[in-house]
Amino acid sequence: MERNGESHLKDPLLLVTSSSASPAGASPRKERKTRKVMFSVRGISCASCAVSIESVVAGLKGVESIQVSPLQGQAVVQYRPEETDTRTIKEAIEDLNFEVDELQEQEIAVCRLRIKGMACTSCSESVERALQMVPGVKKAAVGLALEEAKVHYDPNVTSRDLIIEAVEDAGFGADPISFGDDVNKVHLKLEGVNSPEDTKLVRSVLEAAEGVNSVEWDTVEQTIKVAYDPDITGPRLLIQCIQNAAQPPKCFNATLHSPPKQREAERNHEIRNYRNQFLWSCLFSVPVFLFSMALPMLSRFGDWLEYRICNNMTIGMLLRWLLCSPVQFIVGWRFYVGAYHALKRGYSNMDVLVALGTNVAYFYSVYIVLKALTSDSFEGQDFFETSAMLISFILLGKYLEVMAKGKTSDALSKLTELAPETACLLTFDKDGNAISETEISTQLLQRNDVIKIVPGTKVPVDGVVIKGQSHVNESMITGEARPISKKPGDRVIGGTVNDNGCIIVKATHIGSETALSQIVQLVEAAQLARAPVQKLADKISRFFVPTVVVAAFLTWLGWFIPGQLHLLPQQWIPKAMDSFELALQFGISVLVVACPCALGLATPTAVMVATGKGASQGVLIKGGNALEKAHKIKAIIFDKTGTLTVGKPSVVQTKIFSKIPLLELCDLAAGAEANSEHPLSKAIVEHTEKLKEQYGSHSDHMMESRDFEVHPGAGVSAQVEGRLVLVGNKRLMQEFEVPLSPEVEAYMSETEELARTCVLVAIDKIICGALAVSDPLKPEAGQVISYLKSMGISSIMVTGDNWATAKSIAKEVGISQVFAEIDPVGKAEKIKDLQMQELTVAMVGDGVNDSPALAAADVGMAIGAGTDVAIEAADIVLMKSSLEDVITAIDLSRKTLSRIRLNYVWALGYNVLGMPIAAGVLFPFTGIRLPPWLAGACMAASSVSVVCSSLLLQLYKKPLHIEDAPRPGDDSDLV
């Protein structure tokens, strides 16, 4: 594949190892067209049985290969999923009288769906149950506030269409957002492709191209969506393929097509839909309200409404009936549909309550009208205004709720808009000289492209600086306020702003692989994950609606029976009503005042706002579980190197204990450490390179090492130039039985008292020298430890370094409890010991060396891993290296849980207080009665108030903001 630039720019500086390499000449697309499945087959007694299975299965259409092992009783089949499936293969083997067990190996695919029509927790639970009932679905998570579902499924058993169909059968809409195989995709608009033959030609050319995974064609819009492997091809090469496919005189062309943002488009459509329905409802409801409640109070204007048409049926009754019917059955049809699908699935939701309440009011009113029409003596009061006004207020509430819910994802939307639309692409000649600059869309960039970034412009994608120096403002991604120095070899993050210098950058991560995209994906996944506190709402939602229906019926009985028995004082019953109608109004009010929606929105909306707000401040919280656990933290374990210290150790002193030259000693030590990623190893290698420059040695050759071995928490050993070299601490020397002289012991004590790490170098089991390495403390460390103490959280330091250095560092920052000379597994054990004391423990480390401890802790916090995708072990990722974000994460968690509790108090308190008032508890003492239409307005207001309460988290401010201080050494790599 051609790439712009000179040959030395073609090799990627950051190797991607997420997928295995394809065989030479093989097309990844072709590899993905086949799938492998393994069966456990019982009853295979000899080789002839295996041959018979192989011959039958191999004859099936779509089967490429089959291997049967008589000894293991297994069959491995390679097949094309578009031509056959695992069930067909399984049945073919069973037809030979063999028993075939369930699939032993299952390929798991992931898809994300936009779910339409969810109103409360019962809805999201219904969708989740429907998805989990689909054969082949392994896991399904549905987010109410996010209105999305993430489904893990076996593509051998089910398909995307069946998953979408299951959601639709449950009574909800479902649109695909993304699937696992279209992470890297490009939308292209075609020109010149006018016939079916042209379409077939372009499709075949693209499908045959190296690196293309799938091609989807939209014949209406004349656009295509191509999923591709960024390691092999890119958007510009795909456009070139389309252009080259045309045979003169025909001319094909393709340009970048930007489809409308689905989430925003659907959100706007939903807002417009609710607004229009509310306005249509008002068009009929307002006259109904005027005819039933306003005009009758004004005799001059309302007398005509009492004119009788036939028997006792008046003009007012007829007009109210005619105006209410469209609201009940056209505007309110959505409630019937929702209630039908809910009851069909065996659960109940808000739609059931609304449909039940409005139907009781409407059909009782119809009964009154028909009775008045056929009788000249019957007098009754209709409730058409109850039905119409109730639907209007509920639609108004849903409209305001959708508007407010759209604001909860504002922080995430701002992140997605950080990347610039265009980039300046450089083209080079054979000598590596730039010959042209082209402004292209950022979406057309490919891996290993070289781009020019001038002062004041945004970095389009993640990459490595290969020329120039500048300072880059990364505050929008990491929250780091200071511009970060960038020089050749440093990484830059897409979406950040270049401040004052021109830099040339080589693209290493594009599209969905960029740090910005990873952050967005991480936050979206967090918003889908349910917090444990959500379980309260889930439990309540299961019996909430049936309980409300029973309560409404009991309320009606409680008023109707005493009324019929004349036990109620006559003055309690309004003049225009009888006891039945009064009881009915109380019953309907109880039905519609109860609000399950507010309970369902209490947790997800708060989590959604908090995770988005945290991401905008450089704190990535991986789900509601981590968010909830963080507020319970009582003890924090800090790693030393790179956490409490800057993480840029340097050799500050050397000591020779033999006649070996210093340069040779350092050369041997660097040769042993060259394969290690530990910060101390890098410090020794860098010191050796500086020594070479100082002594005038221009050789960049590093001594070759063999048998390299890492001894966790102790050091490294290797054979360098035929000699056994040990580089590490006292424990390493003891492991290899290397004697320590009094001189060595004295130097170690002297070094450690100065808070330095003493690295011993032994050659052939004789200590020849030592290196004193110093790693300065982060300037904010002391303040953070002090602030944590004021929050009631104890700080503990656990390090693999020696006791003297550890105690010196701990004393400087104010940590009283220290564990030193601990290996990575030992750190995890210390955490478990603290957990045995019923403490919620957090671990703060670098996310790589401390992964066992991060995984063992209740809350793992990875520091300084902003552009590192290897953050699986951590629950919270702190994008910059500042310790103040530890406090931010805990404080944000506390504020969010406090907000969730407040939401629950409001939602539960509203229902607990609202239902008795609606049932008429205050009526005998105060005469206060809650009409059904007003009860509906209260119900709508409760959902809006919960969402607005969650939105207040947008005002969150960091509790501790330490003014930036110059840090020791070069700060270019601190992010």
Side-chain angles (χ1 to χ4, degrees), residues 654-658 660-672 684 688 691 703 723 725-727 759-763 766-771:
T654 55
K655 180 75 172 178
I656 303 295
F657 299 114
S658 67
I660 187 171
L662 177 61
L663 183 58
E664 184 182 348
L665 177 78
C666 292
D667 250 343
L668 289 167
I684 292 170
T688 303
L691 270 183
M703 288 187 178
R723 305 163 80 177
V725 179
L726 306 174
V727 185
V759 180
L760 301 173
V761 182
I763 301 168
I766 297 173
I767 296 178
C768 296
L771 305 168

Side-chain angles (χ1 to χ4, degrees), residues 24 158 339 423 504 637 661 666 726 872 944 948:
T158 191
I504 308 299
I637 290 182
C666 292
L726 306 174
E872 295 301 320
V944 179
C948 291

Side-chain angles (χ1 to χ4, degrees), residues 331-346:
V331 178
W333 182 248
R334 62 183 301 117
F335 300 111
Y336 285 99
V337 173
Y340 166 74
H341 285 292
L343 295 173
K344 179 184 172 185
R345 286 279 173 179

